[in-house]
Amino acid sequence: MPPMNPARRRALADAAIELLASAGVHGVTHRAVEREADLPPGTASNYFRSREALLVAAAERIVELHHADTDRATDQAAEQSAPLVDLLTESLLTAATTLRNRYLAIFELQLEATRRPALASALASLQDAALQITAGHHDKLGLTTPRATISTLIALYASALFTLVTSPPGSVSRDVVQEMVRVIMQGCGVHDEDPGLGEHRYSGHR
């Protein structure tokens, strides 16, 4: 077997993500992914022996892209001493608008995972990794958020994101997203001594 081409593998996973968003899980087949990626017939099966392997690869790619984005945003927030409410607002707003297809795709996969144990197992592993990565982000920002609270924040973020990405396109505004973030943070007790979350700043990261 010839060596795998990482760029081609990513292209196939990206194509699967677009199909998940536009046609749902049932629209993701090896041939459909090849057409979407403009690759020759047989390419997808060379990289992913089963349809389930293709779905897992799409999930892994979504999580990879999400964490790359949040890593960059966290670094920028730490450098600028930006408030967490602004960081989360920007993250949710971008996810629900510019990157809407990506997150529609992961919700499609999460629903499908209720019927596919192997996919469910893969998503559970990715969720465990997400908890560790998010905890690292909080540490970098100088927060002392308990790990149990971080898990709750992730769940609330995902719930808010589901509401936003399934809303009619064009109906999501920054004000709406920011208010959702404020409620999430206040409900989880994620704030410092200053009750004004919008005025909270991190120290020691300039």
Side-chain angles (χ1 to χ4, degrees):
M1 178 182 293
M4 295 290 102
N5 181 328
R8 181 162 289 191
R9 191 181 193 281
R10 287 193 296 271
L12 290 165
D14 289 342
I17 291 168
E18 291 303 313
L19 287 169
L20 282 164
S22 63
V25 170
H26 296 296
V28 180
T29 65
H30 287 82
R31 188 66 193 103
V33 166
E34 289 160 353
R35 286 195 297 268
E36 180 72 20
D38 196 22
L39 291 170
T43 304
S45 60
N46 285 338
Y47 284 80
F48 310 107
R49 290 300 185 185
S50 68
R51 188 162 167 269
E52 193 159 57
L54 185 54
L55 295 176
V56 169
E60 291 172 343
R61 178 65 172 154
I62 292 168
V63 173
E64 174 192 355
L65 292 168
H66 176 76
H67 288 316
D69 289 344
T70 54
D71 284 346
R72 285 191 294 270
T74 301
D75 288 342
Q76 184 177 16
E79 290 172 1
Q80 298 177 354
S81 298
L84 182 59
V85 66
D86 288 353
L87 174 61
L88 292 179
T89 297
E90 190 62 33
S91 175
L92 272 175
L93 182 62
T94 302
T97 54
T98 307
L99 303 176
R100 184 170 181 263
N101 279 2
R102 180 194 297 178
Y103 295 97
L104 281 174
I106 197 64
F107 289 129
E108 286 281 348
L109 290 169
Q110 288 174 337
L111 289 171
E112 184 68 12
T114 64
R115 297 176 289 272
R116 291 177 178 266
L119 180 58
S121 177
L123 289 176
S125 296
L126 292 173
Q127 188 173 17
D128 289 342
L131 178 58
Q132 299 304 316
I133 291 171
T134 304
H137 291 159
H138 280 238
D139 291 342
K140 183 178 290 186
L141 292 169
L143 297 171
T144 57
T145 314
R147 293 305 185 254
T149 301
I150 291 175
S151 181
T152 301
L153 277 170
I154 291 173
L156 292 173
Y157 178 100
S159 297
L161 182 56
F162 181 84
T163 298
L164 293 168
V165 300
T166 55
S167 298
S171 66
V172 177
S173 71
R174 181 176 297 276
D175 287 344
V176 168
V177 175
Q178 188 170 59
E179 182 59 25
M180 293 175 77
V181 170
R182 288 180 184 277
V183 171
I184 288 171
M185 291 174 60
Q186 289 170 347
C188 286
V190 183
H191 52 78
D192 67 349
E193 296 176 356
D194 184 348
L197 285 172
E199 298 175 1
H200 177 64
R201 293 293 185 275
Y202 306 109
S203 59
H205 293 282
R206 290 187 179 277

